[in-house]
Amino acid sequence: MKSYRKELWFNVPARREFINITPQVEECLKESGIREGLVLVNAMHITASVFINDDESGLHHDFDVWLEKLAPHEPVSGYRHNVGEDNADAHLKRQVMGREVVVAVTEGKLDFGRWEQIFYGEFDGRRKKRALVKIIGE
Ligand code: ZN
């Protein structure tokens, strides 16, 4: 069995953003040489997510509005976590959007459903953060 590991780095200038990382993950898969197996992609921070959904800007706007309703950034003082920091909402948003995805690898390709794409969801940006790509198989 082969095994491959890589970290993808991000430095999002805004507090929140969704980035389609499917091309980077496909590049990792190519580099790995693995044709049959599984790829795991996970955020390595507790204020960011990795998730699969549609690459459609209206939907991304809807996610952002929905997450702000569930866990508004302001008022910052409304959260117990925010003692010396202001990212309690980012922890909650990450929890809803998830930590990781697993995708099947078949014949050297990500075995997606029709509209599936992999996203890095940033909820507390403006600093360097990363996601892990781990691929196993043969
Ligand atoms: Zn925090």
Side-chain angles (χ1 to χ4, degrees):
M1 189 195 75
K2 284 192 219 168
S3 169
Y4 172 96
R5 181 189 190 276
K6 189 164 192 176
E7 291 173 5
L8 305 178
W9 285 85
F10 307 94
N11 194 347
V12 175
R15 185 178 287 275
R16 296 195 302 274
E17 194 175 325
F18 299 124
I19 300 169
N20 187 338
I21 59 169
T22 310
Q24 287 105 303
V25 177
E26 284 171 339
E27 198 52 44
C28 291
L29 183 54
K30 209 181 284 177
E31 260 176 45
S32 76
I34 291 169
R35 308 261 321 150
E36 297 291 326
L38 293 172
V39 50
L40 163 81
V41 188
N42 68 267
M44 296 181 84
H45 301 265
I46 51 181
T47 53
S49 288
V50 172
F51 63 95
I52 290 180
N53 216 300
D54 193 1
D55 194 2
E56 196 278 303
S57 61
L59 179 65
H60 295 179
H61 173 80
D62 294 340
F63 276 142
D64 193 50
V65 169
W66 177 64
L67 289 166
E68 261 304 287
K69 262 185 223 161
L70 285 176
H73 178 66
E74 303 275 356
V76 167
S77 62
Y79 298 96
R80 283 204 189 177
H81 177 69
N82 285 341
V83 178
E85 55 183 327
D86 67 352
N87 67 0
D89 67 303
H91 291 276
L92 299 175
K93 286 164 175 143
R94 173 261 169 75
Q95 204 62 29
V96 168
M97 297 303 279
R99 170 183 182 264
E100 78 276 303
V101 300
V102 176
V103 182
V105 175
T106 305
E107 293 176 357
K109 295 216 155 70
L110 298 173
D111 203 341
F112 281 139
R114 179 139 188 223
W115 298 107
E116 289 187 322
Q117 295 282 289
I118 306 171
F119 294 89
Y120 174 76
E122 179 60 82
F123 306 115
D124 185 25
R126 301 163 303 172
R127 59 199 165 96
K128 283 185 77 183
K129 292 167 80 169
R130 65 205 158 127
L132 176 68
V133 179
K134 182 86 184 190
I135 309 173
I136 56 169
E138 51 191 23

